[in-house]
Amino acid sequence: DTAVSQTPKYLVTQMGNDKSIKCEQNLGHDTMYWYKQDSKKFLKIMFSYNNKELIINETVPNRFSPKSPDKAHLNLHINSLELGDSAVYFCASSQGRTGNTIYFGEGSWLTVV
Amino acid sequence: KNEVEQSPQNLTAQEGEFITINCSYSVGISALHWLQQHPGGGIVSLFMLSSGKKKHGRLIATINIQEKHSSLHITASHPRDSAVYICAVRTNAGKSTFGDGTTLTVKP
């Protein structure tokens, strides 16, 4: 059973479109995250949710909006996609807000053309 | 300047060698993670440290809170250890910051 699953794994879309990436975890964790890994392989955190509440929102354009319908899901919606949004997006989860092992999804490769 | 600095950036070793990857940070932290990213892209959390030392198989991670430094050691390295190793810290303010990664290549 996959602990943290993301869909889709690959997504190619045109500039200006709106797209979503879904994430689900079956670990019973209360904290979920979205990370972005750019073309240089540098990882940055985008958002963190604890018990469905936003606790970290790094400097991310308003076009990115996370939505957490319940503790097991954290979806990422991206409006008006731009070329620079092309990256790999990783979802992750952990129990508690600090100091526990983080479990990553397999990543979603987004290409904006 | 990144709050988390890793060295070396790239590392090539022969199979069987002892490997050390270093991570220094400049902020107060509540936890430090070592992550492994394989060429296929998947990320695995290897260790979470807040003090001392942890060992898992051939991997050892240490942290010195006073010196703001952590090391990841791999004993008896193997080609399957080839990956990017990323140091990540959780600051006391709750922010997550990542190092730029160390690309390790172990040759048979």
Side-chain angles (χ1 to χ4, degrees):
Chain A
D1 285 346
T2 303
V4 182
S5 59
Q6 304 177 219
T7 54
K9 185 165 184 177
Y10 300 100
L11 181 57
V12 180
T13 188
Q14 289 188 322
M15 282 174 55
N17 284 349
D18 303 337
K19 291 294 177 185
S20 296
I21 306 172
K22 295 185 177 180
C23 179
E24 177 182 6
Q25 53 95 4
N26 62 6
L27 297 166
H29 289 164
D30 60 2
T31 305
M32 296 186 71
Y33 313 83
W34 275 107
Y35 299 89
K36 179 180 179 181
Q37 187 173 41
D38 62 22
S39 57
K40 295 182 180 178
K41 303 290 188 183
F42 298 151
L43 266 172
K44 290 189 186 302
I45 189 166
M46 300 174 69
F47 301 102
S48 173
Y49 268 70
N50 175 258
N51 284 318
K52 296 170 53 183
E53 291 190 18
L54 180 66
I55 57 172
I56 293 176
N57 182 357
E58 294 296 317
T59 307
V60 176
N62 291 337
R63 300 181 293 102
F64 290 80
S65 56
K67 287 187 171 53
S68 181
D70 54 57
K71 286 198 304 183
H73 296 84
L74 182 62
N75 303 322
L76 183 65
H77 301 277
I78 315 171
N79 297 323
S80 302
L81 278 156
E82 299 177 358
L83 293 177
D85 298 332
S86 296
V88 183
Y89 293 86
F90 286 95
C91 177
S93 73
S94 68
Q95 182 58 33
R97 294 169 60 173
T98 62
N100 284 313
T101 300
I102 300 174
Y103 295 81
F104 286 82
E106 294 184 343
S108 294
W109 273 252
L110 172 65
T111 302
V112 182
V113 296
Chain B
K1 191 177 188 301
N2 198 349
E3 292 174 323
V4 179
E5 298 281 345
Q6 284 184 236
S7 63
Q9 186 176 2
N10 295 286
L11 180 57
T12 300
Q14 288 297 130
E15 184 174 356
E17 285 185 355
F18 181 84
I19 288 163
T20 296
I21 300 171
N22 296 299
C23 175
S24 296
Y25 52 92
S26 57
V27 293
I29 68 168
S30 58
L32 182 145
H33 297 258
W34 279 104
L35 310 175
Q36 180 192 55
Q37 185 169 30
H38 275 282
I43 297 176
V44 174
S45 178
L46 297 175
F47 294 103
M48 187 282 297
L49 296 162
S50 55
S51 64
K53 175 181 175 179
K54 287 189 176 179
K55 184 176 189 292
H56 185 248
R58 295 179 296 104
L59 301 178
I60 302 167
T62 63
I63 188 168
N64 186 318
I65 298 295
Q66 287 74 30
E67 295 184 4
K68 292 187 165 58
H69 182 268
S70 175
S71 293
L72 176 67
H73 307 284
I74 304 175
T75 61
S77 60
H78 190 276
R80 64 174 174 267
D81 297 326
S82 298
V84 176
Y85 293 84
I86 302 168
C87 173
V89 302
R90 177 72 62 85
T91 71
N92 290 330
K95 177 183 170 184
S96 292
T97 305
F98 295 84
D100 291 344
T102 295
T103 301
L104 171 65
T105 303
V106 181
K107 296 184 175 180

